[in-house]
């Protein structure tokens, strides 16, 4: 009995050694088969034989390897079979979720096939997962300003205000699109003002003026006992009412606040531009005149004079940059200054060419363009040889000179452009519009 007890440990050790040997032997056989499969796969891939796929699959069943996945996907790419290459890259991503190589492959595939929707969806995924690589960055930068169109054309477009554009159809009727070009209110009005406080003034085909909300419901009607032919945008309960060339400010209780002006603009940054006795002046919300008189004060399509606490005014042919307190920031030597955009880089003209200055009038981009609009959402539209394109703040052309006219980009990466000067359509950057 004693001898049996002594034999038990010896037998157990022998069994363990045998098990390890068998496992090692089995692993060795598998690795030999793995290498044979890879050797055959690589040969088939080199000469373009479709059996390469079977051998790659056999190798991956034995051992998953990101490098083998990459080889496998590149085999399909060499065969111009991008669908199967995409499937392999997706499997690669699932098995190695933190590795950038699968995303490098996917973005390369999508770039090759001009599949920008998937390209930017994958890029967004890499950013959310904090996965970075030189390939990912390069492909993104190469395609950052690729755009598509929504196809709908209009004969006229007014600048965006509070997320909506006023647009005019071929019959001369106005409606609204949202900032990505979807129809918000169909073209049905003789006149359409800008949205503010979720309302816009419209004139219907019977000549009636009133305010509608974003769903085209009648929201507010001015005092029907008073005569008027113009209603401005409501900002902080103040809006302009015009009648036969005279303009005054009212509140929503129909009380006249101040003014009998030759023209009156929309309040923004707490001030508005008005025309009085043939000259332009800035007023605050109490109606107090806060500036000198000028021969002109620049306003956009929404009659807004002040953006980013800056105003452009003209006197005796000289352009001035003012702040929101009507203080002169700079008396410039520019021949002309464009309307203000949403950014702080302002287009100016000097020696018959256009460049850009900052909000204080200091030159940032020397004049070199035939035409320009001020920067909005990081881009500015510029003209050379009668064609318009877009530059970034580094003065790099990012959208080529393609259009006969072009408006500013908005924060959703969309802009209205024209290629025939008779109709406008929207272009949309894929990097913002890929959902």
């Amino acid at each position: 009995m004693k001898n049996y007890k002594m034999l038990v440990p010896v037998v157990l050790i022998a069994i363990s050694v045998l098990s390890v040997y068998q496992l090692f032997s089995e692993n060795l056989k598998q690795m030999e088969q793995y290498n044979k499969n890879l050797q055959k796969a690589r040969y088939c891939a080199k000469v373009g034989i479709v059996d390469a796929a079977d051998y790659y699959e056999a190798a991956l069943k034995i051992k998953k390897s990101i490098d083998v996945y990459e080889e496998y996907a590149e085999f399909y790419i060499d065969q111009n079979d991008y669908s199967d290459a995409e499937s392999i890259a997706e499997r690669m991503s699932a098995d190695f979720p933190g590795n950038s190589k699968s995303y490098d492959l996917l973005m390369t595939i999508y770039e090759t096939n001009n599949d920008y929707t998937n390209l930017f969806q994958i890029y967004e995924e890499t950013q959310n997962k904090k996965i970075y690589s030189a390939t990912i960055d390069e492909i993104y930068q190469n395609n950052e300003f690729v755009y598509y169109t929504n196809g709908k054309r209009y004969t006229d477009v007014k600048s965006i205000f509070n997320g909506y554009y006023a647009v005019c159809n071929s019959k001369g009727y106005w409606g609204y699109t949202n900032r990505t070009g979807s129809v918000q209110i169909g073209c049905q009005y003789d006149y359409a003002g800008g949205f503010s406080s979720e309302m816009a003034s419209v004139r219907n085909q019977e000549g009636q003026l009133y305010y509608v909300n974003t769903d085209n419901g009648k929201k507010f009607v001015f005092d029907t006992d008073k005569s008027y032919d113009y209603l401005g945008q409501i900002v902080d309960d103040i809006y302009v009412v015009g009648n036969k060339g005279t303009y005054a400010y009212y509140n929503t209780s129909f009380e006249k606040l101040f003014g009998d002006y030759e023209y009156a603009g929309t309040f923004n940054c707490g001030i508005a531009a008005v025309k009085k006795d043939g000259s332009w002046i800035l007023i605050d919300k109490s109606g107090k005149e806060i500036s000198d008189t000028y021969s002109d004060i620049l306003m956009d399509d929404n009659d807004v004079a002040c953006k980013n606490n800056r105003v452009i005014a003209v006197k005796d042919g000289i352009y001035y940059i003012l702040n929101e307190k009507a203080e002169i920031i700079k008396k410039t030597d520019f021949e002309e200054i464009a309307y203000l955009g949403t950014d702080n880089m302002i287009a100016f003209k000097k020696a018959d060419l256009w460049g850009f200055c900052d909000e204080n009038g200091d030159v940032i981009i020397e004049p070199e363009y035939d035409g320009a609009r001020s920067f909005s959402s990081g881009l500015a539209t510029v003209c050379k040889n009668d064609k318009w394109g877009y530059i970034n703040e580094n003065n790099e052309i990012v959208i080529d000179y393609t259009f006969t006219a072009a408006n500013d980009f908005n924060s959703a990466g969309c802009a209205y452009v024209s290629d025939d000067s008779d109709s406008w359509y929207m272009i949309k950057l894929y990097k913002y519009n890929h959902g």
Side-chain angles (χ1 to χ4, degrees):
M1 192 72 179
K2 205 170 188 182
N3 291 334
Y4 284 119
K5 288 182 179 179
M6 292 177 63
L7 283 173
V8 169
V10 174
V11 171
L12 289 175
I13 291 170
I15 292 172
S16 298
V17 169
L18 181 62
S19 297
V20 169
Y21 173 78
Q22 288 176 335
L23 182 62
F24 176 78
S25 179
E26 183 63 31
N27 287 341
L28 190 61
K29 287 179 182 178
Q30 283 189 334
M31 288 310 298
E32 287 176 355
Q33 187 61 47
Y34 173 80
N35 289 327
K36 285 180 182 179
N37 288 333
L38 269 186
Q39 187 178 14
K40 289 178 180 179
R42 286 165 180 165
Y43 170 77
C44 290
K46 183 178 180 180
V47 297
I49 296 175
V50 295
D51 292 345
D54 294 332
Y55 291 119
Y56 277 123
E57 287 288 354
L60 287 169
K61 281 183 180 178
I62 296 172
K63 185 178 76 168
K64 287 182 169 59
S65 162
I66 196 161
D67 293 329
V68 173
Y69 267 127
E70 189 174 21
E71 281 185 33
Y72 190 6
E74 286 172 353
F75 160 70
Y76 280 125
I77 290 173
D78 290 341
Q79 303 297 311
N80 294 321
D81 185 349
Y82 294 101
S83 177
D84 281 330
E86 180 183 3
S87 297
I88 299 306
E90 287 172 347
R91 285 169 55 189
M92 183 177 171
S93 176
D95 288 337
F96 299 92
N99 196 293
S100 68
K101 286 188 175 182
S102 59
Y103 294 99
D104 293 345
L105 274 170
L106 285 168
M107 289 191 68
T108 299
I109 291 166
Y110 296 143
E111 182 183 40
T112 302
N113 287 283
N114 299 326
D115 185 354
Y116 301 110
T117 296
N118 275 323
L119 188 152
F120 283 103
Q121 286 176 348
I122 286 295
Y123 178 77
E124 191 173 277
E125 185 177 327
T126 66
Q127 300 308 291
N128 291 337
K129 292 181 176 179
K130 294 181 170 45
I131 296 172
Y132 308 107
S133 78
T135 299
I136 291 171
D137 290 343
E138 181 181 0
I139 292 175
Y140 173 79
Q141 290 167 12
N142 288 343
N143 297 280
E144 186 178 2
F145 297 101
V146 176
Y147 62 85
Y148 64 100
T149 70
N150 70 352
K152 186 75 174 176
R153 288 182 177 260
Y154 300 98
T155 58
D156 199 4
V157 176
K158 293 181 182 177
S159 298
I160 192 169
F161 198 76
N162 283 357
Y164 300 95
Y165 294 92
V167 294
C168 184
N169 68 11
S170 59
K171 296 180 179 179
Y173 295 128
W174 289 84
Y176 296 91
T177 67
N178 65 17
R179 64 182 190 153
T180 59
S182 297
V183 174
Q184 187 70 30
I185 297 174
C187 295
Q188 58 193 274
Y189 295 108
D190 286 343
Y191 163 82
F195 265 94
S196 185
S197 304
E198 294 299 307
M199 292 188 288
S201 62
V202 297
R203 181 187 294 110
N204 66 18
Q205 296 175 39
E206 288 73 44
Q208 299 169 324
L209 268 169
Y210 50 86
Y211 291 89
V212 296
N213 62 19
T214 56
D215 294 323
N216 200 29
K218 187 183 287 188
K219 184 69 174 177
F220 179 70
V221 179
F222 186 63
D223 190 347
T224 55
D225 293 332
K226 292 183 173 66
S227 297
Y228 55 96
D229 54 25
Y230 174 83
L231 292 174
Q233 295 171 33
I234 301 174
V235 178
D236 296 334
D237 200 40
I238 302 174
Y239 58 103
V240 177
V241 177
N243 185 45
K244 297 179 180 179
T246 300
Y247 299 82
Y249 291 91
Y250 283 77
N251 62 24
T252 51
S253 298
F254 311 139
E255 298 169 333
K256 182 177 179 180
L257 300 177
F258 46 83
D260 280 306
Y261 303 111
E262 295 160 34
Y263 198 78
T266 302
F267 274 96
N268 198 46
C269 305
I271 61 175
V274 297
K275 190 175 184 181
K276 177 182 176 183
D277 300 328
S279 296
W280 287 87
I281 197 165
L282 294 170
I283 61 171
D284 64 18
K285 288 183 178 179
S286 69
K288 178 183 177 182
E289 297 177 1
I290 63 170
S291 76
D292 293 335
T293 58
Y294 293 91
S295 55
D296 195 11
I297 293 177
L298 273 60
M299 297 189 293
D300 65 13
D301 286 346
N302 298 288
D303 291 334
V304 170
C306 187
K307 289 182 180 178
N308 298 323
N309 295 326
R310 290 296 183 266
V311 177
I312 308 300
V314 188
K315 181 185 285 189
D316 299 327
I318 297 172
Y319 281 77
Y320 294 84
I321 300 176
L322 315 179
N323 65 16
E324 79 282 8
K325 298 177 182 178
E327 299 166 335
I328 295 175
I329 299 298
K330 187 164 188 175
K331 176 183 178 182
T332 76
D333 59 356
F334 304 147
E335 296 166 10
E336 192 175 342
I337 298 181
Y339 295 118
L340 298 168
T342 60
D343 300 348
N344 288 325
M345 290 179 66
I346 305 166
F348 70 88
K349 185 179 181 182
K350 190 173 183 179
D352 289 328
L353 292 174
W354 287 81
F356 296 88
C357 65
D358 65 15
E359 71 273 23
N360 298 318
D362 297 324
V363 174
I364 298 174
I365 298 174
E366 293 290 340
E368 62 174 282
Y369 299 104
D370 300 333
R373 291 170 62 96
S374 297
F375 271 84
S376 288
S377 301
L379 299 175
T381 178
V382 293
C383 179
K384 280 191 175 181
N385 300 319
D386 297 323
K387 291 291 185 180
W388 291 79
Y390 291 88
I391 60 170
N392 62 18
E393 293 176 348
N394 295 322
N395 198 26
E396 299 165 330
I397 187 77
V398 295
I399 297 178
D400 206 4
Y401 302 101
T402 304
F403 313 107
T404 56
N407 278 341
D408 305 332
F409 268 95
N410 61 37
S411 59
C414 301
Y416 274 105
V417 298
S418 176
D419 51 20
D420 59 12
S421 297
D422 293 322
S423 61
W424 294 82
Y425 61 95
M426 179 172 278
I427 60 174
K428 307 169 75 169
L429 297 179
Y430 276 101
K431 72 173 180 176
Y432 295 115
N433 300 277
H434 54 265

